[in-house]
Amino acid sequence: MPKLIPVGPSTHHVGKSLWEIVGNLKNFGVGRLVQRNIYERYPEPTYYRILKIETLPPPTDTRDLRKVRAYTEKVFRGRKSEKIFEICHESWKPDFVLVPKSEEKTLIEKAEAAAKTVTKRSLPSTIPFPPLLQELIIQERIAKGLPSDEEPRMKVIIRQKDISGEDLMYHLAEEDQTPTIDYKGGKGKPLSPQMYNIPEFYREKLEQKT
Protein backbone atom coordinates (compact mmCIF):
# COMPACT_ATOMS: atom_id res chain seq x y z
CA MET A 1 0.00 0.00 0.00
CA PRO A 2 1.51 3.38 -0.97
CA LYS A 3 2.51 5.74 1.84
CA LEU A 4 0.18 8.71 2.22
CA ILE A 5 1.90 12.09 2.50
CA PRO A 6 -0.18 14.92 4.03
CA VAL A 7 -0.08 18.18 2.09
CA GLY A 8 -1.42 21.45 3.45
CA PRO A 9 -2.71 22.39 6.90
CA SER A 10 -4.69 20.02 9.09
CA THR A 11 -8.33 20.72 9.96
CA HIS A 12 -10.04 21.19 13.31
CA HIS A 13 -13.52 20.80 11.84
CA VAL A 14 -14.68 17.85 13.91
CA GLY A 15 -18.20 18.31 15.21
CA LYS A 16 -21.37 20.15 14.16
CA SER A 17 -22.29 23.70 13.23
CA LEU A 18 -23.66 25.79 16.06
CA TRP A 19 -27.10 25.98 14.41
CA GLU A 20 -27.31 22.19 14.22
CA ILE A 21 -26.74 22.04 17.96
CA VAL A 22 -28.95 24.87 19.28
CA GLY A 23 -31.72 24.13 16.76
CA ASN A 24 -32.34 20.80 18.49
CA LEU A 25 -32.27 22.10 22.07
CA LYS A 26 -35.03 23.50 24.27
CA ASN A 27 -35.07 27.32 24.25
CA PHE A 28 -32.31 27.10 21.60
CA GLY A 29 -29.77 26.00 24.18
CA VAL A 30 -29.80 29.13 26.34
CA GLY A 31 -27.74 28.39 29.43
CA ARG A 32 -25.96 25.38 27.90
CA LEU A 33 -22.22 25.10 27.31
CA VAL A 34 -20.56 24.44 23.95
CA GLN A 35 -16.92 23.96 23.01
CA ARG A 36 -14.86 24.20 19.81
CA ASN A 37 -12.37 21.53 18.80
CA ILE A 38 -9.94 24.18 17.59
CA TYR A 39 -9.17 25.00 21.24
CA GLU A 40 -8.48 21.40 22.24
CA ARG A 41 -4.79 22.09 21.60
CA TYR A 42 -4.63 24.02 24.88
CA PRO A 43 -4.40 22.25 28.26
CA GLU A 44 -6.76 24.80 29.84
CA PRO A 45 -10.48 24.50 28.93
CA THR A 46 -12.25 26.94 26.63
CA TYR A 47 -16.03 27.02 26.36
CA TYR A 48 -19.04 29.25 25.65
CA ARG A 49 -22.19 29.65 27.74
CA ILE A 50 -25.09 30.52 25.43
CA LEU A 51 -27.00 33.62 26.57
CA LYS A 52 -29.16 34.42 23.54
CA ILE A 53 -29.75 33.11 20.01
CA GLU A 54 -30.85 35.21 17.01
CA THR A 55 -31.72 34.04 13.52
CA LEU A 56 -30.36 35.87 10.48
CA PRO A 57 -32.09 37.29 7.36
CA PRO A 58 -32.52 34.93 4.36
CA PRO A 59 -28.99 34.36 3.01
CA THR A 60 -27.75 34.74 -0.54
CA ASP A 61 -24.83 32.35 -0.05
CA THR A 62 -25.67 28.67 0.51
CA ARG A 63 -23.00 28.49 3.21
CA ASP A 64 -24.88 31.15 5.20
CA LEU A 65 -27.80 28.73 5.56
CA ARG A 66 -25.88 27.20 8.46
CA LYS A 67 -25.14 30.49 10.22
CA VAL A 68 -26.74 31.79 13.40
CA ARG A 69 -25.96 34.66 15.74
CA ALA A 70 -25.24 33.68 19.32
CA TYR A 71 -24.43 35.91 22.28
CA THR A 72 -22.26 34.02 24.72
CA GLU A 73 -20.16 34.22 27.82
CA LYS A 74 -16.72 33.06 26.70
CA VAL A 75 -14.16 31.40 28.94
CA PHE A 76 -10.83 31.22 27.09
CA ARG A 77 -8.20 28.94 28.63
CA GLY A 78 -9.87 29.28 32.02
CA ARG A 79 -10.21 33.08 31.88
CA LYS A 80 -13.67 34.59 31.60
CA SER A 81 -14.12 37.48 29.17
CA GLU A 82 -15.50 40.66 30.72
CA LYS A 83 -17.70 41.36 27.69
CA ILE A 84 -20.36 39.35 25.91
CA PHE A 85 -18.83 37.47 22.99
CA GLU A 86 -20.76 37.20 19.72
CA ILE A 87 -20.53 34.11 17.50
CA CYS A 88 -21.81 34.60 13.97
CA HIS A 89 -19.36 34.39 11.08
CA GLU A 90 -17.76 31.18 12.37
CA SER A 91 -21.03 29.57 13.49
CA TRP A 92 -21.32 27.60 10.21
CA LYS A 93 -18.11 25.66 10.86
CA PRO A 94 -18.64 22.00 11.88
CA ASP A 95 -16.41 22.51 14.89
CA PHE A 96 -18.83 22.87 17.82
CA VAL A 97 -19.60 20.24 20.46
CA LEU A 98 -22.34 20.36 23.09
CA VAL A 99 -21.13 19.77 26.65
CA PRO A 100 -23.35 17.19 28.40
CA LYS A 101 -25.10 18.56 31.49
CA SER A 102 -23.44 15.88 33.60
CA GLU A 103 -19.99 17.27 32.63
CA GLU A 104 -20.70 21.00 32.96
CA LYS A 105 -19.79 21.26 36.65
CA THR A 106 -16.49 19.44 36.14
CA LEU A 107 -15.60 21.66 33.18
CA ILE A 108 -16.36 24.87 35.10
CA GLU A 109 -14.31 23.75 38.10
CA LYS A 110 -11.40 22.82 35.84
CA ALA A 111 -11.54 26.26 34.18
CA GLU A 112 -11.61 28.06 37.52
CA ALA A 113 -8.60 26.09 38.72
CA ALA A 114 -6.71 26.81 35.48
CA ALA A 115 -7.39 30.55 35.77
CA LYS A 116 -5.44 30.62 39.03
CA THR A 117 -2.35 28.93 37.59
CA VAL A 118 -2.06 30.31 34.05
CA THR A 119 0.30 33.29 33.83
CA LYS A 120 0.50 35.92 31.14
CA ARG A 121 2.92 35.29 28.32
CA SER A 122 5.21 38.13 27.29
CA LEU A 123 5.91 38.80 23.62
CA PRO A 124 8.90 40.61 22.08
CA SER A 125 8.19 44.17 20.94
CA THR A 126 9.44 43.37 17.42
CA ILE A 127 9.62 40.20 15.31
CA PRO A 128 11.28 39.39 11.94
CA PHE A 129 9.38 39.95 8.72
CA PRO A 130 8.36 36.86 6.69
CA PRO A 131 11.32 35.55 4.62
CA LEU A 132 10.14 36.81 1.22
CA LEU A 133 9.11 40.24 2.49
CA GLN A 134 12.36 40.46 4.41
CA GLU A 135 14.33 39.86 1.22
CA LEU A 136 12.34 42.54 -0.64
CA ILE A 137 13.05 45.07 2.12
CA ILE A 138 16.77 44.30 2.00
CA GLN A 139 16.84 44.68 -1.79
CA GLU A 140 15.00 48.01 -1.48
CA ARG A 141 17.54 49.20 1.07
CA ILE A 142 20.40 48.26 -1.26
CA ALA A 143 18.75 50.11 -4.16
CA LYS A 144 18.46 53.25 -1.99
CA GLY A 145 22.04 52.96 -0.76
CA LEU A 146 20.98 52.27 2.82
CA PRO A 147 22.67 49.80 5.22
CA SER A 148 21.39 46.28 4.52
CA ASP A 149 23.17 44.26 7.20
CA GLU A 150 20.50 44.89 9.85
CA GLU A 151 17.62 42.40 10.01
CA PRO A 152 14.27 44.01 9.10
CA ARG A 153 11.80 43.69 11.95
CA MET A 154 8.19 44.75 12.40
CA LYS A 155 6.48 46.12 15.49
CA VAL A 156 4.19 43.83 17.49
CA ILE A 157 0.77 45.27 18.40
CA ILE A 158 -1.65 43.58 20.80
CA ARG A 159 -5.32 44.48 20.66
CA GLN A 160 -6.37 46.63 23.58
CA LYS A 161 -10.03 45.62 23.52
CA ASP A 162 -10.94 42.53 25.48
CA ILE A 163 -13.47 40.99 23.10
CA SER A 164 -12.69 37.31 23.50
CA GLY A 165 -10.57 36.79 26.59
CA GLU A 166 -7.50 36.00 24.49
CA ASP A 167 -6.05 39.46 25.15
CA LEU A 168 -5.79 38.56 28.81
CA MET A 169 -3.14 35.94 28.01
CA TYR A 170 -0.45 38.10 26.39
CA HIS A 171 1.42 41.36 26.90
CA LEU A 172 4.52 43.01 25.45
CA ALA A 173 7.74 42.49 27.36
CA GLU A 174 9.29 45.52 29.01
CA GLU A 175 12.74 46.77 27.96
CA ASP A 176 14.41 45.03 30.90
CA GLN A 177 12.27 41.88 30.62
CA THR A 178 13.08 38.72 28.64
CA PRO A 179 10.08 37.58 26.54
CA THR A 180 8.70 34.17 27.46
CA ILE A 181 7.86 33.53 23.78
CA ASP A 182 10.80 33.52 21.39
CA TYR A 183 9.59 34.09 17.84
CA LYS A 184 12.38 33.28 15.38
CA GLY A 185 10.38 33.61 12.17
CA GLY A 186 11.15 31.64 9.03
CA LYS A 187 8.93 29.04 7.42
CA GLY A 188 9.22 26.66 10.37
CA LYS A 189 9.21 22.90 9.93
CA PRO A 190 6.96 21.98 6.98
CA LEU A 191 4.87 18.80 7.05
CA SER A 192 6.25 17.79 3.64
CA PRO A 193 9.87 19.03 3.39
CA GLN A 194 10.33 17.17 0.12
CA MET A 195 8.01 19.72 -1.49
CA TYR A 196 10.81 22.27 -1.09
CA ASN A 197 13.41 20.11 -2.85
CA ILE A 198 14.15 21.15 -6.42
CA PRO A 199 13.97 18.16 -8.81
CA GLU A 200 17.31 17.27 -10.43
CA PHE A 201 15.98 18.15 -13.90
CA TYR A 202 15.13 21.72 -12.90
CA ARG A 203 18.29 22.03 -10.84
CA GLU A 204 20.40 21.38 -13.96
CA LYS A 205 18.39 23.95 -15.90
CA LEU A 206 18.99 26.56 -13.20
CA GLU A 207 22.71 25.80 -13.10
CA GLN A 208 22.92 26.22 -16.90
CA LYS A 209 21.27 29.67 -16.68
CA THR A 210 23.67 30.82 -13.98
Side-chain angles (χ1 to χ4, degrees):
M1 183 177 179
K3 182 180 178 180
L4 298 179
I5 301 175
V7 177
S10 59
T11 178
H12 298 284
H13 292 180
V14 182
K16 296 181 179 180
S17 67
L18 185 59
W19 176 244
E20 288 180 90
I21 294 176
V22 300
N24 291 290
L25 294 176
K26 183 180 179 180
N27 199 22
F28 296 108
V30 172
R32 296 295 301 272
L33 306 184
V34 294
Q35 291 181 291
R36 292 191 62 188
N37 280 295
I38 191 174
Y39 294 126
E40 289 299 313
R41 62 181 184 269
Y42 298 124
E44 305 87 6
T46 296
Y47 63 86
Y48 307 85
R49 182 187 297 277
I50 299 175
L51 304 177
K52 182 181 179 181
I53 295 292
E54 288 183 354
T55 56
L56 300 173
T60 56
D61 189 344
T62 55
R63 189 176 63 179
D64 292 343
L65 290 170
R66 304 175 66 187
K67 283 187 178 181
V68 66
R69 179 177 286 111
Y71 299 96
T72 69
E73 176 186 271
K74 182 176 182 179
V75 176
F76 178 75
R77 301 186 67 178
R79 294 173 179 261
K80 183 187 295 184
S81 176
E82 296 179 359
K83 296 183 179 181
I84 294 177
F85 183 76
E86 179 183 315
I87 303 176
C88 183
H89 296 294
E90 66 271 26
S91 63
W92 67 270
K93 297 180 179 179
D95 185 44
F96 293 86
V97 178
L98 178 68
V99 178
K101 285 188 176 182
S102 60
E103 300 178 10
E104 289 183 352
K105 183 179 179 181
T106 302
L107 180 64
I108 294 173
E109 292 176 349
K110 185 178 179 181
E112 291 175 348
K116 299 177 182 179
T117 58
V118 175
T119 57
K120 280 190 175 182
R121 294 162 174 78
S122 56
L123 300 170
S125 57
T126 60
I127 60 175
F129 279 93
L132 180 57
L133 185 55
Q134 188 176 101
E135 183 64 24
L136 292 175
I137 294 174
I138 293 176
Q139 294 299 326
E140 184 179 359
R141 287 180 178 178
I142 295 175
K144 293 181 178 180
L146 300 175
S148 59
D149 54 343
E150 183 180 351
E151 181 188 38
R153 300 180 69 86
M154 56 183 170
K155 184 179 180 181
V156 176
I157 298 177
I158 298 179
R159 297 175 304 171
Q160 297 300 317
K161 293 183 179 180
D162 173 25
I163 60 174
S164 66
E166 299 179 27
D167 302 334
L168 302 174
M169 303 294 296
Y170 304 96
H171 72 281
L172 295 180
E174 303 292 340
E175 293 184 359
D176 57 344
Q177 183 182 10
T178 302
T180 58
I181 297 179
D182 183 17
Y183 181 83
K184 298 181 180 179
K187 65 178 183 295
K189 183 179 179 180
L191 292 176
S192 303
Q194 68 277 10
M195 298 286 289
Y196 291 85
N197 297 333
I198 302 177
E200 192 63 30
F201 172 77
Y202 292 105
R203 189 184 301 277
E204 294 177 357
K205 292 290 184 181
L206 291 173
E207 291 177 352
Q208 292 176 2
K209 290 183 179 180
T210 55

